């Protein structure tokens, strides 16, 4: 067995995901948001003469969503704030107090009946 030095230990859960996984995730978010935009534009055309306020809301969503999707997709690689810290603190050993003594328990087998029999 190998003895460990007193150095710091690394947590693997604190590591960022790989670059390919990060790019794949950003591409997926962008494709999903563009699919939502496509649905919004189609709904704008379908609902224009039926439900004009809903059609206008879909039109605004269809216009604003590409900008929002690009900003989200290009946000880059950042550490998630919920991840634990990278280093694990070494465990501390409790110190013994020199002046503290525990009370000595009474020996077993002594009870009130034994004390009465000694007096008689």
């Amino acid at each position: 067995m190998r003895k460990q030095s007193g150095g710091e230990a690394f947590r693997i859960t604190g590591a960022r995901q790989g670059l390919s996984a990060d790019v794949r995730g950003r591409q997926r978010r962008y494709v999903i948001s563009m699919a939502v935009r496509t649905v919004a534009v189609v709904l704008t055309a379908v609902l224009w003469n039926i439900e004009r306020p809903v059609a206008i809301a879909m039109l605004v969503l269809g216009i604003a969503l590409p900008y929002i999707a690009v900003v989200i997709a290009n946000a880059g690689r950042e550490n998630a704030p919920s991840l634990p810290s990278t280093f694990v603190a070494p465990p501390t050993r409790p110190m013994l107090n020199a002046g503290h003594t525990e009370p000595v328990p009474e020996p077993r087998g002594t009870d009130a009946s034994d004390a009465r029999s000694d007096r008689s």
Side-chain angles (χ1 to χ4, degrees), residues 33 56 72 75 92 102:
S33 60
I56 291 173
I72 290 173
T92 57
E102 294 288 324

Side-chain angles (χ1 to χ4, degrees), residues 57-114:
M58 291 294 115
L59 181 64
V60 169
L61 181 66
I63 291 171
L65 198 56
Y67 174 75
I68 295 169
V70 167
V71 168
I72 290 173
N74 291 332
R77 299 182 65 178
E78 287 130 16
N79 287 334
S82 63
L83 289 176
S85 66
T86 305
F87 299 107
V88 177
T92 57
R93 296 181 130 180
M95 294 178 57
L96 296 176
N97 293 333
H100 181 69
T101 59
E102 294 288 324
V104 179
E106 292 186 25
R108 295 187 131 212
T110 56
D111 60 348
S113 62
D114 290 341

Side-chain angles (χ1 to χ4, degrees), residues 2-110:
R2 244 159 106 181
K3 291 186 179 182
Q4 292 185 0
S5 64
E8 297 174 333
F10 291 92
R11 283 190 186 177
I12 190 66
T13 56
R16 293 191 306 185
Q17 64 182 3
L19 182 60
S20 61
D22 182 56
V23 169
R24 205 174 25 242
R26 287 192 278 153
Q27 286 174 340
R28 185 177 6 180
R29 286 191 300 267
Y30 184 78
V31 168
I32 289 170
S33 60
M34 287 298 105
V36 170
R37 177 187 185 247
T38 303
V39 170
V41 170
V42 169
L43 282 175
T44 299
V46 170
L47 296 174
W48 189 258
N49 290 328
I50 301 169
E51 198 65 42
R52 180 96 18 123
V54 176
I56 291 173
M58 291 294 115
L59 181 64
V60 169
L61 181 66
I63 291 171
L65 198 56
Y67 174 75
I68 295 169
V70 167
V71 168
I72 290 173
N74 291 332
R77 299 182 65 178
E78 287 130 16
N79 287 334
S82 63
L83 289 176
S85 66
T86 305
F87 299 107
V88 177
T92 57
R93 296 181 130 180
M95 294 178 57
L96 296 176
N97 293 333
H100 181 69
T101 59
E102 294 288 324
V104 179
E106 292 186 25
R108 295 187 131 212
T110 56

